[in-house]
Amino acid sequence: MTDDWWLMSKFPSFESKKASENFIFRHSEPLRYQVRKAILDFLEKENYSVGDKIPSEQELMDLLHVSRSTLREGLQLLEQERILITRHGLGRYLASTPKDLKFDINELLSVTEMLANYGIQVKTHVLSSEIIPADQELSTYLDVPMGEPIIAIERIRFAEEVPVIYAIDYIPNKKIPGLIDPKEFEGSLFALLENRWGIKLDYSIATLRVVLSEGHIPKMAVIDPHLPWVLFEQINYTEEGEPIIFSCDYHRSDYIEFHVKRFRRQ
């Protein structure tokens, strides 16, 4: 049995190097991301630990049946995410334990809470926080009159130095009156609302769709412009059914997955 049995079991189209060259045209996910995932699966299967030297480029090329340029694109993604590091003249080493985040969206949690469940400390860069008048869309979502003052908070959330979520949150200004230091928005909005203003969120209504970064995501958060992001549009309500936050959260599709339990109606 050859070394490529493992890769073929995960990606049946990788039957030969020729087949792999056409793989990108038959699958929606770019080949470099499939190579990235294949390398991570291999390192996990072989029980590599932080600090271990990974196989050489030639060994990985033989294993994955991809060209050197394609392999390097996958390796570059891992280096940008600080999962691999290159030591000049020595090779590449595993720098951190990769974590593909899988969130159960049945439970209403803040991003801070979701990442904390994985033992990941969230770092937040607040891009802006400003008061804007409610347009037709915000008026409908937040059940406020047109022109009502709304606080718009724009943030990038980092997991272990990797930008994984770009978020814009809208809250009626009357719900959180007074001057607010933007640093207060570096943590969980859910916790801030509950602890400071006594507003407890109880449930949400959400829509998920896939978008590309262009026109949506700030360049500082984009590693690859061709990478799809999952847009999570959500209205968060109190137990009494009052809408408090309208959120537009963009999640990196190569880093975060969502799952939900579904039932047949009786």
Side-chain angles (χ1 to χ4, degrees), residues 159-171:
E160 297 182 348
E161 308 299 330
V162 179
V164 295
I165 299 172
Y166 167 65
I168 308 177
D169 297 283
Y170 302 94
I171 306 173

Side-chain angles (χ1 to χ4, degrees), residues 22-219:
N22 295 323
F23 191 72
I24 188 172
F25 300 111
R26 295 198 296 271
H27 293 259
S28 59
E29 187 177 34
L31 183 56
R32 58 188 173 278
Y33 289 103
Q34 297 179 56
V35 170
R36 168 194 176 275
K37 181 65 164 59
I39 294 172
L40 290 178
D41 286 346
F42 170 76
L43 297 177
E44 181 180 7
K45 175 179 178 290
E46 298 299 322
N47 297 316
Y48 277 74
S49 301
V50 173
D52 289 347
K53 183 179 180 180
I54 73 168
S56 67
E57 287 189 4
Q58 187 60 56
E59 290 172 321
L60 290 173
M61 288 165 56
D62 293 341
L63 174 66
L64 306 184
H65 289 282
V66 294
S67 65
R68 187 178 298 275
S69 61
T70 299
L71 175 70
R72 286 181 172 175
E73 288 179 355
L75 291 169
Q76 184 179 32
L77 291 173
L78 294 171
E79 290 173 345
Q80 289 173 335
E81 296 172 41
R82 280 79 168 180
I83 292 174
L84 298 179
I85 59 172
T86 299
R87 295 176 180 168
H88 184 68
L90 297 176
R92 291 182 175 87
Y93 292 78
L94 186 62
S96 64
T97 303
K99 293 177 179 174
D100 288 325
L101 306 176
K102 299 180 181 181
F103 296 146
D104 180 358
I105 57 176
N106 291 287
E107 185 177 7
L108 179 59
L109 296 171
S110 69
V111 170
T112 303
E113 292 168 330
M114 289 191 297
L115 293 177
N117 288 340
Y118 281 81
I120 297 175
Q121 184 176 1
V122 184
K123 292 185 178 179
T124 302
H125 178 51
V126 179
L127 298 178
S128 66
S129 60
E130 59 180 342
I131 296 178
I132 63 173
D135 58 14
Q136 182 63 60
E137 183 179 54
L138 292 176
S139 173
T140 300
Y141 289 152
L142 295 172
D143 192 23
V144 297
M146 288 276 289
E148 178 89 5
I150 302 292
I151 294 182
I153 308 155
E154 184 182 13
R155 302 179 295 173
I156 296 178
R157 318 302 294 274
F158 294 81
E160 297 182 348
E161 308 299 330
V162 179
V164 295
I165 299 172
Y166 167 65
I168 308 177
D169 297 283
Y170 302 94
I171 306 173
N173 187 50
K174 64 184 179 182
K175 295 298 178 182
I176 49 177
L179 296 176
I180 301 175
D181 187 339
K183 287 187 176 296
E184 292 194 69
F185 297 131
E186 293 179 354
S188 166
L189 286 184
F190 287 20
L192 179 63
L193 287 168
E194 185 170 356
N195 296 333
R196 184 164 173 180
W197 290 283
I199 301 173
K200 186 174 183 179
L201 299 173
D202 184 70
Y203 68 95
S204 70
I205 297 176
T207 301
L208 280 74
R209 57 191 174 94
V210 176
V211 299
L212 293 178
S213 61
E214 186 175 0
H216 296 282
I217 316 296
K219 290 184 178 180

